[in-house]
Amino acid sequence: MNYRLLIDYEVIEFLETLPRKDQRLLRNRFVAIQGFPSRHSDYIESDSVGRPVDIHICGKYAIKFWTDQADRHLKILDVHFADQSRG
């Protein structure tokens, strides 16, 4: 089941700072997650309202995403280096 892919603007800005190879890797992974979000959940955190947010490790990057089942949206909330904590 495909979801509509929505990407936070700060994620886009972060991607623009990366080498093209890494940009391509992450874009391809976003599309893979879009198709099968549950297959790409390495662990789960709760956001500020207690909603579960999935984290996927892709090489040296951590992708934080939320699957909005009601609206059929896959929301990429954050991407950062996997060895760095972000709130």
Side-chain angles (χ1 to χ4, degrees), residues 52-78:
V53 175
D54 296 288
I55 311 294
H56 172 66
I57 303 302
C58 177
K60 60 185 174 185
Y61 302 101
I63 302 169
K64 185 182 287 191
F65 66 95
W66 179 57
T67 307
D68 184 341
Q69 298 289 347
D71 288 336
R72 306 296 301 156
H73 292 164
L74 186 285
K75 299 175 181 181
I76 305 293
L77 306 172
D78 186 43

Side-chain angles (χ1 to χ4, degrees), residues 24-68:
R24 196 171 15 261
L25 169 73
L26 289 167
R27 283 195 322 259
N28 289 341
R29 192 58 54 97
F30 295 164
V31 172
I33 295 170
Q34 177 187 14
F36 298 98
S38 62
R39 290 185 189 171
H40 293 88
S41 179
D42 293 316
Y43 61 96
I44 297 173
E45 294 179 347
S46 293
D47 68 6
S48 60
V49 296
R51 178 178 47 215
V53 175
D54 296 288
I55 311 294
H56 172 66
I57 303 302
C58 177
K60 60 185 174 185
Y61 302 101
I63 302 169
K64 185 182 287 191
F65 66 95
W66 179 57
T67 307
D68 184 341

